[in-house]
């Protein structure tokens, strides 16, 4: 058993809060730093299903990627989904913390996990956020290479099989083989032009719209939309492992959400 503050200190080591985008809301969102933590549930979203899991397994804390609270609350309506969720969390004394864009950017975080899963090597920066005087560069996405060139359709299938995705959407820009790949987990279509200008043969992300796909084709770059969920969910197990490495010897059990699934299905 440890205090919540200890868990937050470990999270700070793994995904420093200073890395987060200005609009983001990472950190401790529900609970108190001095409450006792014996069991942690790691998840992507603090959904009703995740809260039910936390209650069932008697978790004292949920560590999520997506913040449960993004904007200031003027009311807590328990007849609406967020208010009802907050009521359940407070009723069962379950703390909630989030590591969002800071975990996207952190070394070993969401984008590194995604890159490793889909087979990229020799990773470098993509969408630089900051550069320190010592030369340290923080990057939102990643660039990498495949061991050998692949056809766009074959790479799309490789991405689908590597991720918890029932399908991916391929924007095929022609016969160009795929070797150099840029990626940004979650929702990164805004960086399509940047990926093309940096010489990527293909760009992997989620939440791509029609005109963004059109832009990619005009730029001659393939895009694989693997979905917001599938590009981010793999970090859950990795984050569970890293928290467990730091906290298991202190009497804290860390478990991962293995029940959540993408909202989108093909019918």
């Amino acid at each position: 058993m440890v205090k919540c503050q200890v868990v937050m200190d470990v999270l700070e080591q793994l995904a420093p809060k200073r890395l987060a985008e200005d609009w983001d809301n990472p950190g401790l969102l529900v609970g108190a730093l001095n409450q006792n933590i014996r069991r942690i549930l790691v998840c992507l979203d603090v959904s009703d299903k995740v809260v039910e899991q936390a209650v069932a397994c008697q978790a004292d804390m949920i560590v999520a990627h997506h913040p449960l609270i993004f904007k200031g609350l003027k009311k807590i309506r328990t007849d609406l989904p967020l208010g009802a969720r907050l009521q359940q969390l407070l009723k069962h004394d379950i703390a909630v913390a989030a590591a969002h864009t800071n975990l996207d950017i952190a070394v070993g975080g969401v984008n590194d996990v995604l890159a490793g899963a889909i087979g990229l090597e020799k990773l470098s920066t993509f969408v630089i956020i900051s550069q320190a005087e010592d030369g340290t560069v923080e990057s939102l996405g990643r660039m990498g290479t495949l061991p050998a060139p692949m056809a766009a359709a074959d790479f799309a299938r490789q991405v689908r099989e590597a991720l918890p995705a029932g399908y991916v959407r391929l924007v095929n820009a022609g016969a160009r083989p795929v070797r150099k790949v840029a990626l940004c987990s979650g929702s990164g279509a805004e960086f399509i032009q940047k990926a093309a200008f940096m010489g990527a043969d293909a760009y992997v992300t989620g939440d791509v719209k029609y005109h963004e796909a059109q832009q990619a084709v005009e730029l001659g770059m393939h895009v694989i939309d693997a979905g917001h969920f599938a590009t981010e969910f793999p970090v859950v197990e990795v984050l569970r492992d890293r928290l467990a490495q730091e906290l298991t010897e202190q009497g804290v059990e860390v478990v991962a959400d293995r029940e959540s699934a993408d909202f989108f299905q093909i019918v």
Side-chain angles (χ1 to χ4, degrees), residues 150-159 170-178 201-202 222-224:
M150 301 178 69
D154 291 336
F155 180 54
R157 282 188 283 270
Q158 178 170 301
V159 171
L170 170 63
V171 179
N172 196 319
R176 180 179 184 173
V178 177
D201 303 310
H222 310 294
V223 170
I224 298 169

Side-chain angles (χ1 to χ4, degrees), residues 38-47 49-65 229 232-245 248 252-261:
R38 298 177 182 82
R39 184 173 291 117
I40 299 170
L41 175 62
V42 182
C43 65
L44 185 66
D45 300 291
V46 187
S47 63
K49 179 177 288 187
V50 165
V51 173
E52 290 170 5
Q53 287 181 64
V55 172
C57 76
Q58 297 183 318
D60 306 294
M61 186 173 188
I62 295 172
V63 173
H65 179 46
F229 176 88
E232 295 189 331
F233 193 74
V235 82
V236 170
E237 193 68 43
V238 174
L239 183 56
R240 189 221 73 85
D241 291 345
R242 296 180 71 183
L243 287 171
Q245 288 173 9
T248 298
V252 178
E253 181 184 3
V254 188
V255 298
D257 166 29
R258 297 187 176 93
E259 296 183 19
S260 294

Side-chain angles (χ1 to χ4, degrees), residues 56-246:
C57 76
Q58 297 183 318
D60 306 294
M61 186 173 188
I62 295 172
V63 173
H65 179 46
H66 293 142
L68 174 63
I69 301 170
F70 257 119
K71 301 177 180 179
L73 298 177
K74 293 186 177 180
K75 59 179 74 72
I76 298 177
R77 288 271 304 274
T78 57
D79 59 336
L80 294 176
L82 178 56
R85 217 169 292 141
L86 288 168
Q87 182 181 45
Q88 284 295 100
L89 291 164
L90 293 170
K91 176 181 177 181
H92 294 279
D93 200 23
I94 300 172
V96 176
H100 191 209
T101 52
N102 46 327
L103 188 61
D104 291 329
I105 295 166
V107 174
V110 183
N111 284 295
D112 283 326
V113 172
L114 174 60
I118 66 176
L120 300 189
E121 304 172 339
K122 301 175 182 177
L123 300 184
S124 59
T125 57
F126 175 62
V127 189
I128 294 174
I129 302 301
S130 66
Q131 186 165 357
E133 292 182 1
D134 64 0
T136 301
V137 176
E138 310 290 357
S139 167
L140 180 59
R142 299 291 186 269
M143 298 280 288
T145 58
L146 293 167
M150 301 178 69
D154 291 336
F155 180 54
R157 282 188 283 270
Q158 178 170 301
V159 171
R160 184 195 65 205
E161 292 168 2
L163 302 178
Y167 66 95
V168 300
R169 297 191 300 163
L170 170 63
V171 179
N172 196 319
R176 180 179 184 173
V178 177
R179 183 72 186 270
K180 186 175 183 180
V181 179
L183 63 83
C184 182
S185 62
S187 182
E190 63 191 285
F191 304 122
I192 283 175
Q193 181 173 280
K194 184 175 184 66
F197 286 174
M198 290 181 69
D201 303 310
Y203 181 49
V204 178
T205 189
D207 298 342
V208 178
K209 297 179 181 179
Y210 177 87
H211 290 295
E212 294 163 338
Q214 180 183 33
Q215 179 189 35
V217 171
E218 291 171 350
L219 291 167
M221 182 184 68
H222 310 294
V223 170
I224 298 169
D225 182 343
H228 201 122
F229 176 88
T231 58
E232 295 189 331
F233 193 74
V235 82
V236 170
E237 193 68 43
V238 174
L239 183 56
R240 189 221 73 85
D241 291 345
R242 296 180 71 183
L243 287 171
Q245 288 173 9
E246 299 293 331

